[in-house]
Amino acid sequence: MNVYDGQRIASMLRGRGYTQTDNYADADIIILNTCAVRAKATDKVFSALGRIRAEKKPDALMGIVGCVARESGADAFRRAPELNFVLGPQSYHKLPEILENPDARLFNIDLGGLEKFDEMPQMDASPVVAYIPIQEGCNHCCTYCIVPYTRGREISRPFDDVMRDTVHAANTGAIEICFLGQNVNGYKYTDEKGQTYRLSDLIRATAKLDTIKRIRFTSSYPTEMTDDLIDMFRTEPKLLPFLNMPIQSGSPNVLTKMNRPYTLDLYIDIVDKLKSARPDVQISSDFIVGFPGESDDDFNQTLEIARRIKYINSFSFKYSPRPHTAAALMPNQIPEKIKSARLYELDALLNEIQREFNESCVGRELECLCDGADKTGKYTIYRTPYMQTCIVHIPTDAAPQIAKIKITAANKASLRGEIIGASEL
């Protein structure tokens, strides 16, 4: 979501005559697009502001947008007096106001509706991978999560508006569409005629666009994985066989404390249905270790579910108390030393599972999307249908955007491969 927001802000500024620079000292306006999901992320924002202040031009405008702006509110000006503007995640479309009156401080962290999607101009060109938000906010109110406070309650965008953005992306360079939402598979919009649309309808309509070759979505909530959506993995070949479906913990006790209202049996049943619909589908997940009151047995159950599902790529974090959340006030907060040890053990297991899956891909032929040059500039990175990094020894200017690649080697982090044919766009 933050990548999308950053792209739209940059496009808006280019439309006003700005060009982008990576050098703070050259910039006339500096914007930090922020995430508040963990305390460490928030701390990094204000640490970065201190470094930037020392490098920027005296008259350069500087501000923060996104979830830290919403979380910190007016206190952001106290912590960083040099800020010119603080805009919440649903208010960044108001940025032109500060450009028109640079001497005024702009502060807006209101949780609006979908105005930013209507007021921001369309991007002049789309990246190859186009992120299309289909809803904002979340209604699940997990006890550890700050999203309902920073992004608000769940609102689904009108179907026609989403498809307008999708068609525009397809017409201006996109090959892959990634639908976004804090609870993306909870998308549900009913129009004035009483027609109700779900995520499966968006996928079906998008698949009809000739220039779009790959479709995916993130991030999913288990109880919203409806049968019509599962069936799309059976019937729509453009839908990638890869799904992020966070479980957070393998302990029923911890899931209850997290306010994650699903059982392990339900979660496993969903995975089984997905595998039945498309046998080659693979799952990734999110995990939180060290949640308040998590026992050794609770943690061992998390290890067990990871072994059972065999997540091919996951994100795991130590529990981080966040303001405005119920879990921050719970008793039996886990010591940092124990959280670190549990994270280390879980990561070791997840890394081994990822390595095993990567190695199982050696010898396979996969249709992959070009993701640009590697850090050396000598080789090209492709993304497999499972979002793995595949490095091909070919200069990027000679690399087709979609290619069939034979996987020749693998490790935990990436694959190596050779192009055996280019796919038609």
Side-chain angles (χ1 to χ4, degrees):
M1 186 68 79
N2 277 24
V3 171
Y4 166 84
D5 287 345
Q7 290 173 346
R8 292 300 298 269
I9 291 170
S11 179
M12 179 190 69
L13 291 174
R14 284 195 298 270
R16 290 175 169 265
Y18 286 81
T19 56
Q20 197 162 342
T21 176
D22 294 325
N23 188 344
Y24 299 133
D26 293 337
D28 297 298
I29 181 169
I30 301 167
I31 303 170
L32 274 71
N33 187 21
T34 63
C35 172
V37 70
R38 291 188 295 156
K40 187 175 181 180
T42 298
D43 293 340
K44 283 184 174 182
V45 170
F46 289 97
S47 176
L49 287 172
R51 294 195 305 271
I52 294 169
R53 176 181 55 197
E55 299 179 33
K56 76 180 188 73
K57 296 188 292 189
D59 59 346
L61 299 175
M62 183 165 68
I64 60 174
V65 302
C67 290
V68 171
R70 167 68 182 170
E71 175 197 2
S72 300
D75 190 55
F77 288 118
R78 181 192 62 81
R79 295 184 64 177
E82 63 277 4
L83 285 173
N84 299 99
F85 55 92
V86 175
L87 297 172
Q90 293 175 344
S91 304
Y92 64 73
H93 59 286
K94 297 183 180 294
L95 188 58
E97 294 180 25
I98 195 75
L99 302 179
E100 293 165 4
N101 188 12
D103 294 328
R105 277 188 166 186
L106 181 59
F107 174 73
N108 190 309
I109 59 169
D110 294 339
L111 288 176
L114 302 172
E115 292 87 356
K116 69 178 181 182
F117 298 109
D118 297 327
E119 296 194 24
M120 292 289 286
Q122 288 279 11
M123 294 175 60
D124 48 1
S126 173
V128 172
V129 178
Y131 296 106
I132 308 292
I134 64 175
Q135 51 98 254
E136 279 270 322
C138 185
N139 289 343
H140 285 291
C141 296
C142 302
T143 58
Y144 55 83
C145 186
I146 197 173
V147 164
Y149 176 78
T150 58
R151 292 268 181 177
R153 304 296 282 177
E154 190 173 307
I155 310 174
S156 291
R157 297 181 65 196
F159 176 85
D160 288 344
D161 288 359
V162 175
M163 287 309 304
R164 177 201 63 211
D165 289 354
T166 302
V167 170
H168 178 79
N171 290 338
T172 55
I175 295 175
E176 177 180 302
I177 296 293
C178 179
F179 290 120
L180 296 177
Q182 278 76 35
N183 181 33
V184 69
N185 55 336
Y187 176 82
K188 187 177 183 180
Y189 177 76
T190 302
D191 65 17
E192 64 279 0
K193 298 178 181 178
Q195 175 72 40
T196 297
Y197 298 92
R198 303 298 300 263
L199 176 56
S200 57
D201 297 301
L202 289 171
I203 293 170
R204 190 177 296 107
T206 300
K208 295 177 181 178
L209 303 174
D210 291 340
T211 58
I212 300 303
K213 304 302 179 183
R214 298 172 27 140
I215 303 170
R216 57 189 172 98
F217 55 89
T218 194
S219 182
S220 304
Y221 195 87
T223 58
E224 308 281 7
M225 192 57 61
T226 52
D227 288 342
D228 63 299
L229 183 55
I230 292 173
D231 196 55
M232 293 305 300
F233 286 91
R234 184 195 321 274
T235 60
E236 183 43 64
K238 289 186 179 182
L239 182 60
L240 295 185
F242 176 71
L243 174 70
N244 177 259
M245 188 168 66
I247 193 169
Q248 303 300 358
S249 174
S251 163
N253 174 53
V254 172
L255 289 174
T256 298
K257 291 181 178 179
M258 289 178 167
N259 193 32
R260 304 279 290 185
Y262 50 82
T263 65
L264 293 182
D265 286 344
L266 174 64
Y267 188 96
I268 292 168
D269 183 58
I270 293 169
V271 174
D272 288 344
K273 285 183 177 180
L274 286 163
K275 295 280 188 180
S276 177
R278 186 162 181 178
D280 63 338
V281 76
Q282 297 293 333
I283 313 295
S284 73
S285 187
D286 296 353
F287 292 94
I288 295 174
V289 301
F291 190 80
E294 182 188 65
S295 66
D296 288 342
D297 184 59
D298 292 327
F299 174 66
N300 286 332
Q301 290 178 74
T302 295
L303 297 177
E304 181 56 35
I305 196 67
R307 294 187 187 100
R308 177 163 184 170
I309 303 298
K310 294 188 180 300
Y311 299 101
I312 67 164
N313 181 20
S314 294
F315 305 92
S316 48
F317 307 98
K318 293 183 288 186
Y319 167 70
S320 177
R322 306 306 294 123
H324 315 290
T325 64
L329 304 177
M330 288 181 178
N332 301 317
Q333 298 282 328
I334 305 299
E336 194 68 22
K337 184 177 180 179
I338 294 177
K339 288 195 286 188
S340 295
R342 288 177 179 171
L343 181 63
Y344 181 84
E345 185 174 356
L346 177 60
D347 279 347
L349 173 61
L350 294 173
N351 288 341
E352 183 57 32
I353 294 170
Q354 182 174 347
R355 177 188 292 275
E356 289 175 359
F357 177 72
N358 284 354
E359 291 175 347
S360 76
C361 293
V362 175
R364 294 183 62 183
E365 297 177 1
L366 300 173
E367 191 171 78
C368 303
L369 178 67
C370 182
D371 200 29
D374 72 344
K375 292 181 180 179
T376 69
K378 297 178 181 179
Y379 308 123
T380 299
I381 294 175
Y382 279 84
R383 294 286 175 183
T384 76
Y386 304 106
M387 302 310 294
Q388 300 150 294
T389 296
C390 181
I391 300 174
V392 178
H393 290 194
I394 183 174
T396 302
D397 58 7
Q401 286 188 305
I402 294 276
K404 182 172 286 188
I405 294 177
K406 183 175 182 179
I407 307 303
T408 57
N411 57 34
K412 179 195 75 68
S414 63
L415 308 175
R416 299 292 186 276
E418 57 186 27
I419 294 177
I420 58 176
S423 298
E424 291 185 9
L425 294 180

